[in-house]
Amino acid sequence: MKKILFKGGSIVTAKGIRRADVLVSGDKIVTVGRVMGVDAKTLNVSGKLIFPGFIDAHTHFDLEVSDTVTADRFDSGSASALAGGVTTVVDFATQNKGETLSDALNNWHMKAFANSSCDYAFHMAISDWREDVKAELPAMFEQGVTSFKVYMIYDAMELCDREIYEIMTELKKYGGIVGCHCENSGIIGKLREEALACGETAPSAHPKTRPDYTEAEAVRRFTTIAKAADAPCIIVHLSTAQGYEEVRRARENGVKVYAETCPQYLLLDDSVYSKPFDTAAGYVCSPPLRKSADKKALWEALKRGRLDTVSTDHCSFTIEQKRAGKGDFTRIPNGMPGVETRAILMYTYGVKKHRISLSRMCAYLSENPARLYGMYPRKGIIKAGSDADLVIFDPKGSGTISAKTDHSACGYNPYEGVRVSGKIEKVFLRGRLVYSGGEVVLPHSGRYIPRGKYNL
Ligand code: URP
Ligand code: ZN
Ligand code: ZN
């Protein structure tokens, strides 16, 4: 079996940092500690940090939505992931109305198989809750799909409170968990109609018609349903201070609520929507970018360890695709890229600005998503027996974010020109060098990772 010895690096885990060698044999880590006298290819990584491969538990690759399909399919999306140190994505297999869950899962397997350069797993987004769909749940668990997503908004996806309650009670039987896109569709739908009727057609109407209280109300409703069902739940892409207050309140009321936020809600704000269309449209995502006070509240929550994961909601469209909404902001496909820049942004604006420690960064980007989504300890930690998914990170490196050097197919970067600290030098996936010198060097070697039950 081919062996690699990573000599002299600093190993980052959610519990701390320590100097140790890492011996890899085949696709697994076999020793973490002082390793001497083994017959192995040796890589000197002194001065470098070694993170467990990052996990992005919120991507949408090859998603058909808004009469188009995301710019990143699994080939470019996963290349972008590796460049961001992400060795595993949990993408949203999405059931279209009329389909079975098996249809959706097979569909996503076909999209990813032989195209993905990073490992991948699937959540299942349920859009059509029926008796026959309920009967499919055991088969989903047998195939390693143990987390689900429901939407409180979007015509094609929206479920009502009763359906969400039923899904939660049903999933509880199998140890599954459900995440929710929390926005109040009734209020937002009406505000959008009113804005258009007043001639407000530009992207600046997007945040105005999705005010913070529409997220907070939906978080409160979703966590109330979870309380009624006595089931755990996840708030995905939490974006507001008010929404976070509802998470806190629900926890005080005994609800097991996990919460995810994304770099865009920590670093960007709604001032971008008043820029010219082609720039503003690139930032149109839902929930929208918010205010400085919201960013502050989310950073504070991260600092205190009150959020659980930082993922990206990578859902990319080219500016050409975004132009479908020129003259009607409601037609702009929602979403933006992020999988490539998450780690470097969290290092630059989190660790270097002393908002979070390296260990906490590791918890948010690796260990917690691995635990929450049933992949721990195979993924999310550097430990004997774990997959040898390793990010060799130079803390002294630096760079400038630019679409010119990105691996995404969307052609723009929301953080264009931003100076960043640190550098992802090399990425190993199950013991094989897959990314080095800014390039994916072993494409399409990703594998499907069937998952177990949540454990965070
Ligand atoms: O605008 C976004 N976030 N699009 C992706 C789908 C979703 O709601 O997560
Ligand atoms: Zn969503
Ligand atoms: Zn999403």
Side-chain angles (χ1 to χ4, degrees), residues 57-78:
H58 194 149
T59 62
H60 301 276
F61 295 158
D62 209 346
L63 177 68
E64 282 165 59
V65 67
S66 306
D67 300 325
T68 186
V69 52
T70 52
D72 284 311
R73 316 287 164 94
F74 273 85
D75 53 359
S76 61
S78 64

Side-chain angles (χ1 to χ4, degrees), residues 416-429:
E416 185 70 35
V418 169
R419 293 279 307 156
V420 286
S421 306
K423 193 173 178 64
I424 291 165
E425 280 199 341
K426 287 185 167 51
V427 179
F428 290 81
L429 176 66

